[in-house]
Structure formats: structure tokens, C-alpha cells
Amino acid sequence: MTTQPANDDALVTDRGLLSTKAYGTGRHLAARQSLYQWQTPRHDLPGIVVRELAGVGGPVADVGCGNGRFTARVREERPDLPLVPVDISQGILAGVPGAVVADAEQLPFAGGSLGAALALHMLYHADDQARAVRELGRVLSPGGVAIVSTNSVTDKRELESLWKRAAGDVLGTPEGPDRVRLSARFTLEDAPTVLGAVFGDIRTILLPGVIAVTDAEPVVAHLASYEAWADRMGVPFLETVGRARERVRETIRAEGAFRVTCLAGVLVCRGARQART
């Protein structure tokens, strides 16, 4: 499976960190989400989720719902579906009505009680991913669907290069250390194997695109949103973010835009095998 530096696993799954610095509010998550405004083609991820819920008639859980972006869209377009938003962070749920604080590895739902479970760009935060996936399978009724999303190992490589070069500038070396990469613990390439331990039918919807910005600030905001892990980046964080801003501006002046290649995917999972957690 795809890996990242060993010390990052504990950082990306640390429950105290996730519920405070990382997602104590929706600010950092919103900064990462906003970068996709400049992607071509634009993918309506909440819309894809709503379409995949066609035919679902039972309750739905939005596991790791964050700032409620998907919850709001499903409630708007499928008001007939009882939907329960779930997240480990009380703070980020402040603006999400009806939300429940709970861990993806121990969902507060009876077995077979849900028509669908959403796990959108969040399974990389599960300490025990196998257990979290078993929980998704456990709570689904026969014929229920789990909708999961994550990024490819190739996603946004330009940002990784930008960070390492900016960090190198700050440190006085050709390149600095890698930054913490959240989705590296659960990539699009790994996901079918992890999910396949529970689900017999997995369909992948690929979402490729290119982000092109003519202003450095959306990229800077994205990099700065990793502030929760700043003390483990191995480099002065704010100085590196500032140097990254300068590098992006240099590229925009020379090439007209700073471009980032993206590849994410949605995995639609059915045929859950009942298993003990």
C-alpha cells in the first residue's frame, strides 16, 4: 500500500489533534475545499453523491461530515432521507444541525439500520481503517450503499514539489522535507483493496482535472491549512508558506498561471459482508 513517513500516521490519526487544531473549526477544511473553484473540469462532488443515493430509501449517515458541505446538499435535494451527520470534532459541527459526535470506528447506529453511509475524504483519518470499513458495512441494510472518496497518489504533486522547494529555500538546501499528506494513508489506488475486505461490489468514478490560478493566495491558503501539523513539518512553517507564495507569484508572472494536476475518485460500494468489529 502507499505509505508516507512513519511518524505521519500518528499525526494524521491523532484524535486530540483532529478535534482541536485540525478541525476545531471549519476554517482549514474550507481553505482546502475552496482551491477546487479553479479546477477544470469542475466536478460537482456533492451532486455526484446525491445521484448515487438514487433509490436509497433508508436513513443515511454522513460519517466524518466536517463542515457539513455534503450533508447540506443531500438534505436540500433529498429531504425525504433522514440524514445524521457524524464527526469526531464537536467544534466543526457547530453549524451542522442534528450532528452527532462519534468516531468512525464505533458508529452509533444499530447493525443493518442505514440505507447509505458516506465517508468522503475522511478514511485516512481512521486509526484502524479496516475497523472503520467494517463499521460502514455493519450499519448498512441489505442492498445499502457506502459512498467513499479520496485522492490518488498522483494528486497535486505540484504542491508537494512547491512545498519542498520553498522549504529548501528557507533551510538553504536544494529541497526541504516532505509535508504531511493526509490522503497518503488511504489513496485511490489503495482504496479498492481496503474496501474490498468488506464490500463485494466496488465501482470507481474518477475525477481528474487541472487547477489553474492567477493569484497565489488560494494555493497559499491551502498550504497554510496544514497549520495543525506545523511543528512536525521539519521546517519553519510560516516562513515556508511565505516563500511558497513568492514562488507561485514567480510562476504566474512567467507562465500566466500556476497549475496543479488533480485526481480524486468516488468509490460506490455495495454487497457488504457482515463481519464482527
Side-chain angles (χ1 to χ4, degrees):
M1 293 175 66
T2 308
T3 60
Q4 58 180 15
N7 65 332
D8 285 353
D9 272 7
L11 298 176
V12 175
T13 63
D14 184 297
R15 293 299 182 261
L17 187 65
L18 293 176
S19 61
T20 55
K21 292 182 180 179
Y23 300 111
T25 71
R27 179 170 61 94
H28 291 318
L29 178 58
R32 291 197 287 277
Q33 291 171 337
S34 68
L35 186 60
Y36 292 97
Q37 295 177 51
W38 289 270
Q39 179 175 301
T40 304
R42 290 282 296 274
H43 298 292
D44 180 10
L45 189 50
I48 291 172
V49 170
V50 170
R51 287 196 296 274
E52 293 299 330
L53 290 174
V56 171
V60 177
D62 186 357
V63 182
C65 68
N67 56 14
R69 178 185 176 210
F70 295 96
T71 290
R73 183 68 172 273
V74 173
R75 283 175 167 169
E76 177 185 353
E77 298 198 19
R78 289 293 307 275
D80 58 304
L81 291 179
L83 191 150
V84 182
V86 177
D87 202 279
I88 198 168
S89 173
Q90 177 74 58
I92 204 169
L93 295 175
V96 184
V100 173
V101 178
D103 194 308
E105 296 174 32
Q106 192 171 1
L107 294 174
F109 305 106
S113 63
L114 302 182
L118 314 181
L120 303 166
H121 278 78
M122 57 74 57
L123 277 175
Y124 38 74
H125 286 310
D127 184 38
D128 186 339
Q129 290 175 8
R131 182 182 177 90
V133 173
R134 288 197 300 271
E135 277 290 273
L136 294 178
R138 179 187 68 80
V139 300
L140 290 178
S141 60
V145 58
I147 303 175
V148 178
S149 65
T150 191
N151 296 325
S152 167
V153 68
T154 67
D155 182 67
K156 302 185 191 70
R157 280 184 168 171
E158 294 87 349
L159 292 188
E160 309 315 317
S161 176
L162 170 65
W163 180 266
K164 291 173 71 172
R165 292 170 67 191
D169 292 345
V170 171
L171 297 174
T173 60
E175 282 192 341
D178 292 334
R179 68 183 183 129
V180 171
R181 293 186 61 208
L182 303 181
S183 58
R185 291 194 69 250
F186 180 73
T187 69
L188 191 57
E189 291 75 14
D190 297 336
T193 298
V194 178
L195 296 166
V198 172
F199 296 97
D201 180 6
I202 300 172
R203 174 168 51 90
T204 302
I205 303 169
L206 295 178
L207 305 174
V210 176
I211 291 169
V213 297
T214 55
D215 182 337
E217 294 314 304
V219 173
V220 171
H222 181 95
L223 294 177
S225 73
Y226 285 76
E227 181 183 9
W229 297 277
D231 60 345
R232 301 302 295 271
M233 294 284 203
V235 66
F237 185 75
L238 294 179
E239 290 179 48
T240 301
V241 171
R243 178 57 186 141
R245 175 186 283 109
E246 294 171 358
R247 277 189 166 273
V248 173
R249 287 174 174 170
E250 291 166 4
T251 299
I252 292 171
R253 285 195 294 269
E255 302 177 13
F258 183 87
R259 294 176 174 83
V260 180
T261 304
C262 303
L263 179 57
V266 176
L267 299 104
V268 182
C269 310
R270 299 181 185 275
R273 305 182 182 96
Q274 296 302 311
R276 296 179 181 177
T277 57

